[in-house]
Amino acid sequence: MRKYLLAAAAAAALSAPALARDGAPYVGAEFGAMKVQDIDFDIGTTRNSIEIDHEYGYDGAIFAGYDLGAFRVEIEASQKRATIDGFSSANRLFGNNFGTVIQNQRDFDDGFGRTKVRSLMLNGMLDFGDDEGVSAFVGGGVGYGQAKIGIGAFENAPRIIDDEDSGFAWQLMAGVRQALTRNIDVHLKYRFFNMDVDIDRNQEVGLFEAVGGTEGEGRIRTHSLLGGLTFNFGAPPPVIVAPPPPVFVPPPPVDVPPPPPAMQTCPNGTVIPVTAICPPPPQPLPRRGERG
């Protein structure tokens, strides 16, 4: 019986999903949709001189980390990309090569271009919830980002901005995850990313001089909704607790009646114990003489 109990316990432990990865490394990847907040560039003394609007883009990342228990640390490499939906300027765009058409125009709903960001981040996350069911996590990260921005008004004209910048970046994250097997998890994550950027004018366009400066200062902020997959290495084997050995309980004592005493049959036919003495036989009566 003990063997059957141990086999059943082992089968149940192996079939149950386990998300606890204490003391184990992991790798993963994630991908999803991203929205870039409007980027406002301050140029010279003119605040919000250029405002860039984006269409929805994508955000993808690969990561590797180590689970310390309730806290995880990981390194993440990601790339974000979105196309320009349009842009506007607080000033008329006095360009060397644009002519009078652009000199009096401030809104470019048909503007084109793209914004691309690559980053390398160090993240830390706190885990909450049921390790073998649905759990949640929150965290943040800091690191290095590289952004490239290009916008133009017309396809046949030089781009107004076509520059890149790199520097410090930070992000915040929150999400939920679920174990599929002992080694594979799936997750859904929200990520907010922030990076300050400085861009220089296109040398062929005199835009920045027209608004009082040669450099634009702005901030890239993105919101991403990501789905991902994580593979955990060296997940600890399930702990099988053997049932305690059975305790031998002696049966209650059984009252055994004493054996009947040995008996003997006396000459007179009575039955008595062998330890007793048979009664003597009766004596014959004396005979009387004849009278005569």
Side-chain angles (χ1 to χ4, degrees), residues 140-161:
V142 294
Y144 175 84
Q146 183 182 53
K148 186 172 184 179
I149 301 176
I151 62 172
F154 305 107
E155 293 286 352
N156 59 353
R159 293 194 174 190
I160 297 173
I161 297 175

Side-chain angles (χ1 to χ4, degrees), residues 46-186:
T46 306
R47 295 187 60 81
N48 301 331
S49 177
I50 296 180
E51 181 179 293
I52 306 174
D53 186 23
H54 293 76
E55 297 179 353
Y56 284 96
Y58 70 82
D59 184 359
I62 56 175
F63 53 85
Y66 195 85
D67 194 333
L68 300 172
F71 183 74
R72 289 181 287 130
V73 292
E74 67 181 26
I75 297 177
E76 169 202 288
S78 68
Q79 177 169 303
K80 305 169 179 61
R81 185 185 180 107
T83 57
I84 303 299
D85 189 40
F87 67 94
S88 61
S89 173
N91 301 82
R92 298 185 180 91
L93 301 183
F94 294 96
N96 295 336
N97 301 318
F98 287 156
T100 58
V101 175
I102 278 197
Q103 288 179 7
N104 297 314
Q105 188 172 350
R106 299 187 183 185
D107 296 323
F108 296 89
D109 295 333
D110 296 327
F112 68 95
R114 81 284 176 269
T115 296
K116 182 168 64 175
V117 179
R118 294 175 178 174
S119 61
L120 183 65
M121 310 293 287
L122 177 64
N123 301 325
M125 265 84 68
L126 289 172
D127 293 326
F128 306 93
D130 182 6
D131 287 343
E132 295 185 0
V134 178
S135 64
F137 59 90
V138 295
V142 294
Y144 175 84
Q146 183 182 53
K148 186 172 184 179
I149 301 176
I151 62 172
F154 305 107
E155 293 286 352
N156 59 353
R159 293 194 174 190
I160 297 173
I161 297 175
D162 192 6
D163 194 24
E164 62 182 43
D165 189 26
S166 59
F168 175 77
W170 58 270
Q171 62 186 8
L172 299 174
M173 297 161 289
V176 294
R177 63 177 185 172
Q178 170 69 57
L180 297 182
T181 68
R182 287 182 55 201
N183 295 96
I184 299 177
D185 307 334
V186 292

Side-chain angles (χ1 to χ4, degrees), residues 169-204:
W170 58 270
Q171 62 186 8
L172 299 174
M173 297 161 289
V176 294
R177 63 177 185 172
Q178 170 69 57
L180 297 182
T181 68
R182 287 182 55 201
N183 295 96
I184 299 177
D185 307 334
V186 292
H187 68 263
L188 184 66
K189 176 193 292 184
Y190 164 77
R191 173 162 60 217
F192 172 79
F193 178 86
N194 181 90
M195 177 183 175
D196 294 337
V197 291
D198 296 334
I199 48 95
D200 295 328
R201 69 179 178 88
N202 188 340
Q203 297 295 329
E204 300 181 25

